[in-house]
Structures are given as C-alpha cells and as structure tokens.
Amino acid sequence: MRKISFRFFFVWLLGISLLFLSGCWSRREIEDLGITVGLALDKGDVTQVEQKLKEHGGGYPKKDKITVTYQVVNPQAAGGEGKGGASQQRPYTNISETGDSMLQNTREISLRRDRPITGGHFKIIVIGEDLARTISMQQYLDFFIRDNEFRPSALVFISKGLASKTLELEDPSQIPSFNLLGITDNENRTNRLLPPMPLMKLIGKMHSKSSFLLQNVISADKETKFAGAGVILGKSNKLVGFLNEVELEGLVWITGKGKGGMVKCFDKETGKLLVYEISSMKSKIEPHVIGDNIFFEVKIESKGILSEHWMMKEKAFENEFLKRVEKVTETEVKRLVQETLVKIQKNYQADVAGFGDQLRIKYPKVWDKVKKDWDTTFSKVPVKFSVDVTIKEYGTTGSEKTK
C-alpha cells in the first residue's frame, strides 16, 4: 500500500513540475536571425541603393554623418552545399545604411530585410580613415558599448581607406570578418602585428585620454592585408596619422610585445643578405627624473635563430661569424627603433609605446604634474636605448666552407 502511494505521489509530482517548464518559448530559428559578425564605419556617403530608395519615397529625417556596413552571415549558404559539393552563394551579405544615429541605422535594416540585425556573434569593427580623423571615436562607438547585444570582446581595427572595402573578399568561400579575426592569431609569425584591441579595452583607452594604436587594414582588389597601425591621439580620440609596416616593427621592439617575426639585414663587409628569426624579445622602459628633467632608457633583449644567410663562404657555427651577425642585427633593430621614435615623438607627439605608464608607476608624483599634457611633454623627452641580440641556433648547415 505504501509503495503504491509513493508511486502515485511521484507521478503526481512529476506531472505538476511539467507545468512549470517553459521550454524553448523564446526560440528563434537561426535562419530567421540576421547574425552580424562584422561592422564597417565610414564617413557618411549615401550608397546607390539608398539613393534609389529615397527617390521612391524611402527617406526619413537625418543627417548623413556615418555610413554603417553590416556583415551578416547567410546560414543557408554557409552551411549548405550546391553542385559539386560547394555552396553556390556567398556565405555573407553586406548591407549599408547612412545616418546620424547608430541605433536608428541598425533599426532601419528591419525595414529592408526580413532578418533584423543581431549582435550576439559580433566579431570585428573596422573604422574608416576619414571618419576617424573627423569625429571622436567615443561618440560613434558609445552605442556599441552601451548595447548589451553587441559583444565587448569584438576587435577594433582602422582602415587607411574605406572600411567597407575590408569586408569584401574575392574568395567566395570565406567570410571576411572571420578572415580578419584569424590573421590576429599570427603573432608568432611576424612582428608587424599589434596585440588585439577588443572593444572593452578600447573603452579604458578612450576614457583615460591615453594615445594608442589600432591595427591598420588595407584593401585592394578584394584582398586585405594588415599594414601598419593608426595613431589615435588621446586628447581628441581622433586619428592623427599612421605608422607604416616598418615603423610598427620598430614600435613592437620598443614595447617588447612581439611573439615572433624576423629581422632582415645585410652584412657590412659583403653586402650579403642575413635573416634573424626572433624566438623571444623583451624590453624594459626605465624612467629617470633629475630635478625637473625626465628621460628614459630602453633596454631591448632578444634571442633567436640565424635562419637564412647568403654568405656561402662563411661557417655559420663559428663564434666569430655569429657575433658578426648579432652586431649587424642589433644595428638594424636600433635603426628601426630610432625611426619609430622620431615618428611618434616629433611627427605625431603621441606616446603610443607606454612611456607614460612606466613614469606613472615609478614616479607617481611627477606623473601627476605632467599627465594633463603628457603627449606634448613626451615629444621633448630624451630617450636612450640599447639592443642585445643573441643567436642561440644556426640550423643544420654551415659545417663546411663552400669551395
């Protein structure tokens, strides 16, 4: 009798609990979502499609300040297959809207597409040069920071040209936003990549009024490349110029944040090519204060491999030859660093290498006096630097001289 009562009670309890299960009441099929994976922000320029829609009465009160290009995944093309086992459609669609409100631009897409914009899979933002030079980033990025639908982990880039062009690729099988995201993982292959800049980290940079860098993306014939960096001035949060690829290389040596890469140089005696492959690098920025005078010492150290040399008459394993290569490499690194220092100190007057951070840590009272106009002060501060390169490997060749 007790067993029967227990079973009845258990079944009754189970039935009652089912009433409180909501299930997937808010479920939306993936095909019904406008999954946005990338954004391009450019200075306002109404597209041909927008212009034609306006001519047919599809306008609303606005100022054409910013053109936003949304990259939306086409789930059917991305996951489906056509003839020959490959999709016959591109796995993404780019759609642009011009206006003066980020929110309104986003909502306008709901009048043009059956799948409204959703930012849960948001990966990247690319900002065009013309927009970055004229309007503070804090103004047009504020919406994406406030809206909890857009992911703060999204990476931010800048483009020397139209940002919307970086969201196009010739290869129909790739999604451009994912391609840009993937390139950032190649830090161990080159020292011309900056550490990724997520939107969340960028918020702190903008609020602190510190100058900073954004990785530059260029586009040509629907191919993209990371080429240098944009210099953002802390006071205005606007773009003031660019570091080219070589200057960015010098900046990475100053900060010591590189994870790989190479140094190409030439032997002074023979003019032959030498290539030093970086295994590790580190840098120490040491501030000094004497009276009212501030100066810095930068000590750079690196260990690596002699990966390539065209001096066939030399023995790669001989200590004398390796020391010679080390000195040539050190000279080249010093040249890179010196050129970059001139660019950021004299041309842009922007501390994008973290000198001010080190001064703040070691001399907080001095920092309190100079932080208000640090970029200008930094432009006049002497910087000395030293470079120490050690070759720890030279490969498997070089045991005999070429006759």
Side-chain angles (χ1 to χ4, degrees):
M1 184 69 179
R2 289 181 179 178
K3 289 184 179 181
I4 295 175
S5 299
F6 177 77
R7 288 176 181 176
F8 175 80
F9 175 76
F10 179 77
V11 172
W12 176 82
L13 185 63
L14 184 62
I16 291 296
S17 64
L18 291 175
L19 298 177
F20 295 94
L21 295 179
S22 58
C24 298
W25 63 272
S26 61
R27 181 189 64 171
R28 298 180 66 187
E29 297 293 343
I30 191 170
E31 291 83 1
D32 297 332
L33 300 176
I35 300 175
T36 304
V37 293
L39 285 174
L41 304 174
D42 286 300
K43 191 174 181 180
D45 186 13
V46 177
T47 64
Q48 290 184 357
V49 172
E50 289 178 279
Q51 185 62 39
K52 289 180 179 179
L53 289 172
K54 185 177 180 180
E55 291 172 0
H56 287 79
Y60 62 95
K62 63 185 175 73
K63 294 180 180 179
D64 296 326
K65 281 188 175 183
I66 298 178
T67 297
V68 186
T69 301
Y70 305 86
Q71 184 152 93
V72 181
V73 173
N74 181 351
Q76 293 178 337
E81 293 187 350
K83 294 180 180 180
S87 174
Q88 300 300 300
Q89 293 180 296
R90 286 188 178 275
Y92 67 91
T93 299
N94 291 344
I95 178 171
S96 299
E97 184 71 30
T98 305
D100 50 14
S101 164
M102 295 295 101
L103 177 59
Q104 191 169 39
N105 281 354
T106 303
R107 296 296 171 83
E108 282 298 306
I109 304 300
S110 303
L111 300 176
R112 297 174 57 184
R113 292 289 189 275
D114 60 341
R115 294 179 292 162
I117 297 297
T118 58
H121 296 272
F122 188 43
K123 302 296 182 185
I124 66 162
I125 300 178
V126 186
I127 303 169
E129 176 182 2
D130 290 344
L131 177 63
R133 287 187 183 275
T134 55
I135 302 178
S136 169
M137 287 187 178
Q138 202 163 359
Q139 290 183 295
Y140 50 81
L141 291 179
D142 180 73
F143 165 70
F144 303 105
I145 296 168
R146 290 176 179 274
D147 193 329
N148 58 14
E149 188 174 303
F150 288 92
R151 299 176 66 175
S153 60
L155 303 185
V156 184
F157 304 98
I158 202 157
S159 177
K160 196 173 185 180
L162 284 175
S164 59
K165 294 297 183 181
T166 68
L167 297 187
E168 298 176 1
L169 278 179
E170 185 66 31
D171 186 349
S173 66
Q174 289 193 334
I175 297 176
S177 294
F178 292 166
N179 180 62
L180 294 179
L181 188 67
I183 294 175
T184 63
D185 294 331
N186 295 335
E187 288 180 288
N188 63 330
R189 294 291 182 175
T190 175
N191 53 350
R192 296 182 181 181
L193 279 177
L194 286 172
M197 178 69 78
L199 184 59
M200 183 180 294
K201 184 177 179 180
L202 188 60
I203 297 169
K205 294 284 186 182
M206 292 190 296
H207 283 291
S208 68
K209 298 298 180 182
S210 300
S211 296
F212 58 93
L213 296 174
L214 288 177
Q215 186 80 55
N216 177 42
V217 187
I218 59 175
S219 176
D221 296 329
K222 294 187 177 181
E223 287 289 337
T224 55
K225 181 186 179 183
F226 283 12
V231 180
I232 313 301
L233 193 64
K235 280 185 177 180
S236 61
N237 284 322
K238 293 180 182 179
L239 175 72
V240 293
F242 289 88
L243 299 181
N244 62 33
E245 291 185 63
V246 177
E247 291 161 348
L248 178 56
E249 195 173 347
L251 192 283
V252 171
W253 279 107
I254 293 172
T255 61
K257 292 182 179 179
K259 295 182 180 180
M262 51 169 271
V263 178
K264 184 177 73 174
C265 45
F266 297 89
D267 180 62
K268 290 183 178 180
E269 296 179 19
T270 64
K272 298 293 185 179
L273 176 72
L274 298 167
V275 178
Y276 169 79
E277 187 175 0
I278 303 163
S279 297
S280 67
M281 70 162 66
K282 62 180 180 179
S283 173
K284 184 177 182 181
I285 299 176
E286 188 71 25
H288 299 279
V289 177
I290 301 177
D292 293 331
N293 298 317
I294 302 170
F295 69 96
F296 290 90
E297 286 185 294
V298 181
K299 297 179 181 179
I300 299 170
E301 296 180 9
S302 177
K303 293 181 180 180
I305 304 167
L306 175 58
S307 289
E308 182 180 359
H309 79 89
W310 290 35
M311 300 165 65
M312 296 297 101
K313 293 185 178 181
E314 299 292 344
K315 289 184 177 180
F317 63 86
E318 286 188 346
N319 190 58
E320 182 180 349
F321 175 66
L322 293 178
K323 290 296 181 185
R324 190 164 128 200
V325 176
E326 288 172 353
K327 292 300 179 185
V328 173
T329 305
E330 289 170 358
T331 300
E332 177 62 13
V333 173
K334 288 177 183 178
R335 185 189 70 81
L336 292 171
V337 169
Q338 187 61 54
E339 288 186 3
T340 302
L341 278 173
V342 170
K343 197 70 172 282
I344 64 176
Q345 279 194 295
K346 306 305 178 184
N347 292 29
Y348 296 142
Q349 296 187 10
D351 175 16
V352 291
F355 287 90
D357 290 337
Q358 299 305 314
L359 182 65
R360 173 181 55 80
I361 292 170
K362 190 169 182 179
Y363 297 98
K365 292 182 179 180
V366 175
W367 174 249
D368 286 339
K369 295 179 182 179
V370 300
K371 66 180 182 180
K372 187 175 181 180
D373 199 23
W374 170 243
D375 281 328
T376 302
T377 302
F378 169 69
S379 68
K380 304 171 184 177
V381 171
V383 179
K384 300 177 182 179
F385 56 90
S386 61
V387 180
D388 183 17
V389 169
T390 303
I391 295 176
K392 63 177 185 176
E393 293 182 36
Y394 47 80
T396 57
T397 61
S399 59
E400 295 182 1
K401 286 187 178 181
T402 302
K403 297 179 180 179

